[in-house]
Amino acid sequence: MAGPLGTHTLTAGRGLLFGGDYNPEQWPEHVWEEDVELMRAAGVNLVTVGVFSWARIEPEPGARDFGWLDRVLGLLADAGIAVDLATPTASPPPWLGHRWPGTLPVDESGHRLWYGARNQFCPSSPVYRERALALVTDLADRYAGHPALALWHVGNEYGQICHCDDSAAAFRAWLRERHGDLDGLNEAWGTTFWSQRYSDWAEVIPPRRAPYLINPTQKLDWARFCSDALLEHYRAERDVLRERTPGVPVTTNFMGLFKPVDYWQWAPEEDIVSNDWYPDPADPLFPVRSALTHDLTRSLGGGRPWLLLEQATTAVNWRPHNLPKPAGQLRLESLQAVARGSDGSCYFQWRASRFGAERFHAAMLPHAGPDTRLHAEVRAHGAELRRLSEVAGQPVPARVAVVHDWPSWWALEEAGRPSDRLTVPDQLLSFYRPLWERGVAVDLVPPSADLSGYALTVVPNLYLVSDEDAAALTAYVRDGGVLVVGPFSGVADPNGHIRTGRFPAPLRDVLGASGEEWLPAPEDRPVRCAWADGTPFDARTWTELLRAEGAEPVAVFTEGDLAGRPAVLRHRTGAGAAWYVATLPEHDALAELTGRALADAGVSGALAGPPPPGVEAVRRGPVLFLLNHGTTEARVPVTEPAEDLLTGSRADGTVTLAPRAVVALRPLA
Ligand code: GLA
């Protein structure tokens, strides 16, 4: 889990962190002084500097120009603003790709991706590695002990994939580690299928563009390798920093449920877990999606405080049609992250760029300048975060775990499956939403987690599962846990091979049920179901032909070939209970089912009852956050007298929340 340094070295004496990416290299020096003055006025106490400054620091191979950065860091240090200093290795200068084209990434069709944007590097290129580490070494030596240096920011949003020959060589080395010899590889990849047997390691390549469906295990291993190859590069930079500046925490900014990178493997390699999050204002479920993402980020760090490192004050520039955020939304979204464990709230970026691909991306200081509605909101928010200082470091305890696994995600969404309508992000959100609506705190966990501290564990989908993890889930229920498993789980082994026998083979005993056919449903028709008392509900997209083997069918399909067959089962076994959901129930039905499973587990939410619709309720340490994401005023009963830390006012009996209002209630002693 996250290393020993944690956020407290940052928040000590500062309280919650507030700031953003600062790209002074885009501006003449006289602007820097104005920047720092405005930052102070806004309560900014942390800025991320240098993310895209490689070409400025190293204008030609081997040269170094640190003078400008010395002056920037000096100004910030004098103003008492801490610096999250980036290794600028996410965007190499054009000279690197021009002189060493092998450093540029190659796509699956063999096309080289050129400079002119960013991220143009091959994670397995020795030249890129060497040049990056030389620069990182000099950067660390230059700023070791600098009073502004508070945090290292390695690279940016790692996710680059490359199919070149260097990557192929690194992939082969990785495969030898995993599978031993060629026989092991042939076995794991199932190469007797379609005459794919490899007779020489030199034949083994990344999944490059091919005439038809590519071997799914080759792709699964490739996804594992790509995440690991980036991690290896991250580690190499981090090790240089740790050696030269021990005591300065290291982070790299994650992207929530980002498919290409297995963050369970990455997070333990950081001192602080940080995330970039840009909810889409056009998505009606974005408050739920945000909460899920924040819970994931906190969970990646083992529950320790994390940092929301980048978000937008209003519209981004990279969707086709970029909706702005209404007044008050910036504050609501920021406080939502704080409520869910972030020790601060930072933005991309401080000052809006005049040029470049992100010239229309919102910032803390818009093109129109400080005399604007937006900047006034930014300042007001900076001031109010100071009133929440005591929240820094506080945990968000949860008794419910939701399982999420990257390799299972990769394997599930591989081509050539029964339906591409069943996806991991959708299933996660569907099963998470009823918990969020009830104000039930949730941790995300990998399937190998120790679940003994959780009363309820929800597995929205676990298509791929190892024997050990399936056995642990079984033991969890035997020992008193309540388990809810979503459809099409327990299907494949870690090589992505289908487990034979009635499904889900490794979970059959614990679920007390088994199946024989997966039956995707026509999309234009609901799947009709009913609870045991006859109350109907609809599901969609997916059905399974199951039989109970000790479990009680709590809902059945009511139409077609499956009429009368189980749709949802509950199995009391050992000291616990296991639920299996063999379809995608509509939201209200899944909420009903979740309520029953919570009752089985004896878990309730942050409030005595569910909060009003649209209101999020979450406890961080002693503080109860209530956030109104709805469009109408909401009245929330609170049982204990409390003080709203944001306003200093007293709350007793009922709290009234206007749309987008937030309270942070600390019980009065
Ligand atoms: C991410 C990146 C930033 C910027 C923003 C735009 O957060 O890290 O460099 O591109 O996206 O939304």
Side-chain angles (χ1 to χ4, degrees):
M1 282 299 125
L5 296 163
T7 40
H8 69 267
T9 61
L10 294 175
T11 53
R14 288 191 189 94
L16 294 177
L17 302 158
F18 181 60
D21 276 38
Y22 181 37
N23 296 305
E25 63 272 27
Q26 295 174 15
W27 298 91
E29 296 209 17
H30 67 86
V31 177
W32 303 354
E33 293 188 8
E34 187 198 20
D35 281 329
V36 170
E37 217 165 281
L38 288 170
M39 284 177 190
R40 281 171 70 144
V44 165
N45 57 15
L46 180 77
V47 288
T48 299
V49 177
V51 180
F52 299 109
S53 65
W54 188 339
R56 180 76 195 258
I57 294 175
E58 188 173 6
E60 55 187 73
R64 293 290 182 264
D65 178 3
F66 284 119
W68 67 278
L69 192 52
D70 293 351
R71 294 193 290 285
V72 170
L73 263 56
L75 279 172
L76 292 164
D78 291 348
I81 298 169
V83 169
D84 167 28
L85 187 56
T87 68
T89 50
S91 189
W95 58 251
L96 188 75
H98 178 67
R99 296 194 194 198
W100 291 279
T103 62
L104 295 167
V106 170
D107 70 13
E108 63 272 18
S109 300
H111 294 133
R112 202 169 283 295
L113 304 181
W114 288 93
Y115 43 85
R118 67 177 186 192
N119 304 347
Q120 68 282 4
F121 66 87
C122 161
S124 301
S125 155
V127 176
Y128 169 72
R129 176 77 49 93
E130 185 193 321
R131 292 278 162 179
L133 293 187
L135 183 60
V136 171
T137 304
D138 290 354
L139 190 73
D141 285 343
R142 181 92 180 180
Y143 297 109
H146 194 288
L149 176 63
L151 177 64
W152 283 115
H153 180 294
V154 178
N156 194 59
E157 297 189 333
Y158 277 101
Q160 187 57 53
I161 288 172
C162 174
H163 296 72
C164 76
D165 290 343
D166 284 339
S167 299
F171 184 38
R172 281 179 213 116
W174 184 96
L175 289 165
R176 280 182 202 258
E177 278 282 307
R178 185 173 176 87
H179 299 297
D181 54 17
L182 270 183
D183 286 345
L185 178 89
N186 279 310
E187 177 75 26
W189 285 15
T191 56
T192 50
F193 185 81
W194 281 351
S195 177
Q196 290 172 350
R197 186 177 173 279
Y198 294 93
S199 59
D200 185 331
W201 278 103
E203 298 160 6
V204 179
I205 53 171
R208 292 178 177 154
R209 196 159 167 214
Y212 188 45
L213 300 177
I214 295 178
N215 182 318
T217 312
Q218 180 184 1
K219 290 188 73 182
L220 176 59
D221 274 351
W222 174 248
R224 289 178 168 126
F225 161 77
C226 289
S227 177
D228 285 359
L230 284 166
L231 180 57
E232 189 190 314
H233 182 83
Y234 160 83
R235 269 203 215 106
E237 291 198 19
R238 181 212 56 194
D239 289 349
V240 169
L241 301 171
R242 280 205 176 147
E243 193 196 324
R244 289 176 151 71
T245 58
V248 178
V250 179
T251 192
T252 183
N253 44 348
F254 288 169
M255 290 179 277
L257 280 170
F258 177 64
K259 193 172 172 187
V261 175
D262 181 351
Y263 289 143
W264 291 124
Q265 304 299 321
W266 281 61
E269 307 279 347
E270 299 185 286
D271 297 310
I272 294 173
V273 175
S274 62
N275 198 48
D276 298 349
W277 181 239
Y278 298 93
D280 183 354
D283 166 13
L285 288 178
F286 80 79
V288 191
R289 217 180 288 278
S290 295
L292 170 64
T293 306
H294 300 335
D295 286 350
L296 170 66
T297 312
R298 186 188 66 250
S299 304
L300 287 165
R304 292 179 193 84
W306 55 281
L307 193 52
L308 178 55
L309 209 47
E310 295 183 40
Q311 60 188 315
T313 53
T314 172
V316 300
N317 66 312
W318 41 262
R319 296 192 176 102
H321 183 64
N322 295 290
L323 295 187
K325 297 181 183 177
Q329 187 65 25
L330 166 168
R331 169 180 192 264
L332 175 63
E333 290 182 16
S334 165
L335 292 173
Q336 184 186 23
V338 170
R340 294 191 174 269
S342 177
D343 265 358
S345 195
C346 297
Y347 293 82
F348 178 83
Q349 60 178 331
W350 163 253
R351 185 185 278 273
S353 300
R354 284 189 304 133
F355 43 74
E358 292 179 326
R359 66 207 179 286
F360 287 114
H361 194 291
M364 300 170 82
L365 183 60
H367 293 133
D371 180 17
T372 48
R373 170 196 77 80
L374 183 67
H375 191 66
E377 256 196 72
V378 165
R379 272 199 304 259
H381 188 52
E384 84 177 339
L385 281 179
R386 288 201 286 273
R387 298 199 282 273
L388 288 179
S389 297
E390 66 188 77
V391 168
Q394 294 285 352
V396 181
R399 297 188 61 216
V400 176
V402 172
V403 172
H404 173 62
D405 183 49
W406 265 267
S408 179
W409 184 5
W410 297 327
L412 171 77
E413 295 182 11
E414 193 42 64
R417 60 195 141 131
S419 167
D420 68 359
R421 307 297 193 268
L422 203 59
T423 71
V424 161
D426 285 354
Q427 291 316 297
L428 268 176
L429 195 71
S430 299
F431 280 84
Y432 177 87
R433 184 175 161 203
L435 296 161
W436 181 86
E437 286 172 345
R438 286 169 179 263
V440 172
V442 166
D443 285 341
L444 279 287
V445 296
S448 57
D450 172 6
L451 297 172
S452 55
Y454 298 102
L456 172 65
T457 296
V458 180
V459 181
N461 175 271
L462 196 58
Y463 166 80
L464 177 160
V465 67
S466 68
D467 293 347
E468 301 76 44
D469 293 344
L473 289 171
T474 304
Y476 167 74
V477 177
R478 186 193 60 218
D479 296 344
V482 176
L483 180 70
V484 175
V485 178
F488 206 40
S489 293
V491 173
D493 70 14
N495 284 325
H497 297 194
I498 305 303
R499 294 172 175 280
T500 52
R502 295 181 65 86
F503 64 78
L507 298 171
R508 184 172 169 183
D509 286 348
V510 70
L511 296 175
S514 72
E516 57 203 87
E517 286 179 49
W518 301 294
L519 304 162
E523 289 203 273
D524 53 348
R525 267 181 281 145
V527 172
R528 307 277 184 209
C529 305
W531 297 108
D533 68 2
T535 311
F537 67 90
D538 285 349
R540 63 179 171 84
T541 312
W542 185 265
T543 65
E544 298 180 358
L545 172 56
L546 296 179
R547 75 172 175 232
E549 293 172 338
E552 139 212 17
V554 292
V556 292
F557 297 109
T558 55
E559 268 183 5
D561 280 357
L562 292 179
R565 299 274 194 166
V568 181
L569 299 114
R570 174 171 174 268
H571 187 216
R572 295 170 73 94
T573 174
W579 294 70
Y580 185 59
V581 188
T583 182
L584 308 185
E586 60 172 5
H587 173 65
D588 288 351
L590 199 52
E592 165 73 26
L593 188 156
T594 306
R596 294 190 198 182
L598 284 165
D600 273 354
V603 174
S604 50
L607 302 174
V615 173
E616 174 171 355
V618 54
R619 279 185 199 276
R620 183 166 182 198
V623 180
L624 170 65
F625 283 85
L626 298 172
L627 307 102
N628 187 3
H629 299 278
T631 50
T632 55
E633 187 175 279
R635 293 165 64 79
V636 186
V638 289
T639 45
E640 36 186 11
E643 179 196 348
D644 177 12
L645 294 175
L646 291 164
T647 58
S649 60
R650 194 185 151 101
D652 210 344
T654 300
V655 172
T656 303
L657 293 163
R660 294 194 279 278
V662 183
V663 292
L665 302 177
R666 187 191 50 202
L668 291 168

